Structure formats: C-alpha cells, structure tokens
Amino acid sequence: MKSRLQGDERLDYLVDESLKIIQSPSVFSFSLDAVLLSRFAYIPIQKGRIIDLCSGNGAVALLLTQRSKAQITGVEIQERLSDMAKRSIVLNGLEDQISMVTDNIVNLPETLGHGRFDAVVCNPPYFPSANRKDHNENEHLAVARHEIYCTLEDVVSVSSKLVKQGGKVTFVHRPQRLMDILSTMRAYRLEPKRLQFIHPKKGSEANMLLIEGMKDGRPDLHILPPLTVYGEDGQYTEELKTVFYGK
C-alpha cells in the first residue's frame, strides 16, 4: 500500500472523529449528499452484501460501516479517487469489510453477477452530459457531476441487475430529475418506496432528494417529511444533527 497522503491530499474526519478520509482539493470531495445517502439507505445490519456505486473517494462506503457489519463493495471509475478510497479503507482498518473495484459500473452485471447484493446505494452524476464546454475544466469534477461515463438509465439499470429480488436500491439526486428517476426506476423493476426532499433552509426550494426503490416491489410510495439543513442562525438544524449523529 502506498503512503497515506500524496501530493496535495489532506486527512479529514467523516462527520465525527470515528472515521478519517483522504481528500484533495483537486478532485471531487465528499459532501452532504454522501452523508445523507449513507443515513437514509436501507442496509442489512449483521450480514449480507452492499454495493456502493459511483463511490468517489469512498465516503459512503466508510459511513455505512457505522450502521452495518455486512460486506461492502465500492465501485469508482476514476483511478485516483479509487486509490484514495483504498488507502482510506486501510487507514481506518476496514480492509476486511470494504473492498474497492475500479471500473465503469456498466460492466458490473457481467463481472460481479446478477442478483448478488442485498442493497445498492448510489450517488450518481446529477447532470446530463451536454457540450464539453459546459463541463468543469477539472476532469475529476466533470466526471463526478456529469453523465460522461454513465447515464441515469445506466445507473438504474445496473442497480436493478445487481440487487436481489426484494432488495433495496437507494439514490441521492436532484429534484429537477424526479420524473426521469421515477419513470426509469419503474422501467427497470425498481418500485419507488420512500422519497424525501432536502431543503437548504426553511422556505427554500428543495435542492436534493433521497429515494429508495424495491426490486419488483408493490406500488406503495411514502413521502417522508422534508429535511431542512440550516436554521436561521446558519447552523445545522436539530433534525439534521439527529440524522447525522442519532438521538
């Protein structure tokens, strides 16, 4: 294993001081959406298999270990981010629970097999891949934010193939893509079951959503109370702190 930190990398804490993560200002770092996804998702607690698609530097996979003893596979297409995730896994002593795969997610049903996972989580690129001039000049950020290597349909299709019958698939995404998300999930046999909107502050429009689907589940969508991130004082709300740290 290479040295823990390379180049412009730094060591940060994940939510609290129980987990550390290697980050860099020149590549895509984890943010609030990764933390919320890791807290919202259904996952097996004691045993089973979880796969984290579009894993980035491994934030979601690392955070899931706070809630589960199941085996976790992270998948990231960018070599540098995948390497950072691998070193963070070693840094936290989680090599026996988390493994990283460096690959495009569209290859996974063939390489990993169909129906092998109890739960799938994914923080995918949010924006359709328009003209290259609209992408961030930083290639790492562009790949993380735009559907360059995988589309929303790819993400949903692959998730449906990987998850077991009755298993859960959870995404974090943008509200502007809600209709695309719902129609694509149903097209690939992932019945939407839980939906929650995230608002930056009270009275503002939602800027994020969390959605869970069940493979071949019955129609029964529950709209959860909205979650507000910041109070009038500019600090995290008590409800968000509860999501982060528990009661």
Side-chain angles (χ1 to χ4, degrees):
M1 179 59 60
K2 299 177 182 178
S3 62
R4 290 181 178 177
L5 297 179
Q6 301 172 15
D8 63 355
E9 294 174 353
R10 66 179 187 271
L11 198 58
D12 290 338
Y13 288 116
L14 262 173
V15 182
D16 55 29
E17 297 186 3
S18 63
L19 289 171
K20 297 177 181 179
I21 187 168
I22 296 171
Q23 303 215 96
S24 162
S26 59
V27 300
F28 194 78
S29 298
F30 87 92
S31 54
L32 179 64
D33 47 6
V35 182
L36 292 176
L37 174 63
S38 72
R39 300 303 195 237
F40 181 85
Y42 160 83
I43 54 172
I45 303 303
Q46 294 298 328
K47 60 182 180 179
R49 295 170 59 89
I50 304 167
I51 189 164
D52 171 33
L53 306 180
C54 306
S55 199
N57 63 344
V60 173
L62 290 168
L63 287 165
L64 289 176
T65 65
Q66 295 181 323
R67 299 181 52 212
S68 176
K69 296 179 182 178
Q71 292 297 306
I72 301 169
T73 302
V75 183
E76 172 55 42
I77 193 171
Q78 299 193 66
E79 291 274 359
R80 183 176 179 192
L81 283 168
S82 181
D83 178 65
M84 291 167 68
K86 290 174 183 177
R87 286 183 282 126
S88 290
I89 291 166
V90 173
L91 181 67
N92 289 283
L94 293 168
E95 307 97 304
D96 291 339
Q97 186 175 6
I98 309 175
S99 60
M100 284 296 301
V101 174
T102 308
D103 200 357
N104 190 318
I105 67 167
V106 300
N107 299 325
L108 299 181
E110 180 179 350
T111 59
L112 299 183
H114 289 235
R116 294 190 60 205
F117 294 89
D118 300 280
V120 179
V121 298
C122 184
N123 183 359
Y126 291 154
F127 306 108
S129 186
N131 295 327
R132 295 290 296 187
K133 65 181 179 62
D134 296 327
H135 296 168
N136 194 294
E137 291 183 2
N138 183 317
E139 185 67 18
H140 294 293
L141 299 180
V143 171
R145 292 171 176 166
H146 295 268
E147 296 177 346
I148 296 172
Y149 290 115
C150 65
T151 65
L152 174 62
E153 184 172 8
D154 291 332
V155 167
V156 176
S157 170
V158 167
S159 297
S160 179
K161 291 173 182 176
L162 293 174
V163 76
K164 295 177 179 179
Q165 191 84 1
K168 302 290 182 62
V169 175
T170 310
F171 306 113
V172 59
H173 220 292
R174 292 294 180 93
Q176 294 88 339
R177 304 292 303 277
L178 177 59
M179 296 310 298
D180 293 335
I181 295 166
L182 291 174
S183 60
T184 308
M185 287 177 70
R186 276 197 158 174
Y188 288 97
R189 299 164 53 196
L190 296 177
E191 184 62 31
K193 287 290 190 176
R194 290 192 299 142
L195 173 63
Q196 185 174 39
F197 292 100
I198 312 301
H199 299 254
K201 58 184 179 179
K202 187 176 180 180
S204 66
E205 288 189 12
N207 65 348
M208 197 185 311
L209 66 80
L210 296 159
I211 187 164
E212 172 197 273
M214 177 186 288
K215 179 72 172 285
D216 290 330
R218 295 180 180 179
D220 184 27
L221 177 60
H222 296 264
I223 310 295
L224 305 183
L227 179 63
T228 302
V229 177
Y230 296 107
E232 294 182 2
D233 59 359
Q235 303 299 310
Y236 284 150
T237 61
E238 290 303 316
E239 58 181 336
L240 187 80
K241 291 179 183 177
T242 298
V243 171
F244 273 21
Y245 308 113
K247 296 182 179 179

